[in-house]
Amino acid sequence: MAPTGRLAPSPTGAQHVGNARTYLAAWLSARACGGAVRLRIEDIDSPRIKPGAAEEAVADLRWLGLDWDGEPVVQTARLAHYEAALEELSRRELVYPCTCTRADIAAAASAPHSNEVLTYPGTCAHRRAADAAALRADGKPFAWRFRVSDSPPYDDLFAGPQRIDLARAGGDFVVWKSSHTPAYQLAVVVDDAAMCVTEVVRGDDLIPSTPRQLLLYAALGLRAPRFAHVPLVVGEDGRRLAKRHGDTRLSALRAAGVTAEALVGLLAWSCGWLDAPRPITASELVPRFRLGAIPPRPFVLAADLLARIGYAPA
Ligand code: GLU
Ligand code: ZN
């Protein structure tokens, strides 16, 4: 059966060249098999959502020549669905209320920790779901954590077999934040299942999220999609594309007169679908798409590559 893929921008900021490369791969992967593509706006991370960024993301995708089937799905309109999923998890004692602050967790963690993910030490794991009522009555803020019982290995369509020990890499994870909003892990599973997504193509920074999401699919009795995690775009210093590398927002390229075809051609070349960068549309790439042609390392967006498409980042 033809796959259903999806594009899932987060309007926490502007979409940049790195996002564009992942969207292009996700869109082509579905279209090359005659599949559908859905669009979802991931706007539940409320404090970080920028006004107008959702509309801009949609404009960026259209500019890139990517289209989608059906109406866009907006996460903030779907809170009842996430609540129902949390309800189900708590009824089955698969989640428990956690009152720890970030500082509590850092203090309890024995290993040195700088930027890495802290492993939750299980401080609140003795609680039952019903304990939430008393915490609420006391006005104590709490998050809901999912009890990690195992770490499902999975076969990544791009990155190959993956096995991450969740007990060591993060431990019990948050599915509902103390700010009364669903966490990404829960929302993405509920939505991908509801949207009948069968193929998720996204950046490889999300590989560690995948076994967590697989646990949630299983816990909720939902069918998991297949996953392909592709390498990210980095700057010349090898770090993930960010403001320090100059302005690589799609809106900035567009404003500077760069055509979508020129950018798509550069990205297609970086993915091994063209021998040299040359202007081409996303649709024209459909017969050229091969997931396995993408080099298995980050794409370094050197300044001279942007210069080739007539762009000098400010
Ligand atoms: N919204 C996420 C992002 O823009 C993508 C999440 C996902 O693909 O599962 O990074
Ligand atoms: Zn806790």
Side-chain angles (χ1 to χ4, degrees), residues 32-58:
C33 297
V37 177
R38 306 290 318 272
L39 174 64
R40 178 170 70 241
I41 305 295
E42 304 213 313
D43 62 346
I44 45 166
D45 200 359
S46 39
R48 295 172 56 226
I49 300 301
K50 306 270 182 313
E55 293 73 16
E56 196 175 81
V58 169

Side-chain angles (χ1 to χ4, degrees), residues 240-253:
R240 195 206 288 213
L241 210 57
K243 285 212 176 79
R244 63 176 162 269
H245 299 114
D247 194 347
T248 61
R249 290 175 302 156
L250 299 179
S251 55
L253 269 70

Side-chain angles (χ1 to χ4, degrees), residues 74-87:
V74 180
Q75 288 190 324
T76 44
R78 292 181 41 78
L79 288 174
H81 298 273
Y82 312 134
E83 276 162 7
L86 176 68
E87 183 62 34

Side-chain angles (χ1 to χ4, degrees), residues 176-200:
W176 202 272
K177 301 193 246 181
S178 57
S179 55
H180 309 291
T181 50
Y184 156 73
Q185 306 292 6
L186 183 65
V188 80
V189 165
V190 169
D191 289 344
D192 278 335
M195 294 163 77
C196 303
V197 168
T198 61
E199 181 189 275
V200 170

Side-chain angles (χ1 to χ4, degrees), residues 16-22 24-25 158 203-205 229-242 245 248 250 253 262-278 293-309:
H16 54 65
V17 173
N19 301 116
R21 188 171 186 260
T22 306
L24 188 61
F158 181 81
D204 64 9
D205 55 324
H229 290 88
V230 297
L232 299 178
V233 177
V234 297
E236 280 168 287
D237 56 0
R239 295 166 75 189
R240 195 206 288 213
L241 210 57
H245 299 114
T248 61
L250 299 179
L253 269 70
L263 176 62
V264 166
L266 176 66
L267 295 174
W269 165 74
S270 82
C271 289
W273 307 321
L274 286 180
D275 291 336
R278 65 170 167 86
I294 303 175
R297 53 186 171 274
F299 168 51
V300 182
L301 187 67
D304 64 307
L305 291 175
L306 285 172
R308 283 174 81 146
I309 59 170

Side-chain angles (χ1 to χ4, degrees), residues 105-159:
I105 298 168
S110 47
H113 41 75
S114 45
N115 285 329
E116 21 169 341
V117 185
L118 291 173
T119 291
Y120 180 67
T123 319
C124 302
H126 62 278
R127 289 215 182 95
R128 309 287 294 169
D131 295 338
L135 294 170
R136 232 174 252 127
D138 289 349
K140 278 223 181 74
F142 62 88
W144 288 95
R145 279 188 193 268
F146 184 85
R147 289 181 201 278
V148 169
S149 49
D150 68 333
S151 305
Y154 80 96
D155 254 320
D156 196 283
L157 295 176
F158 181 81

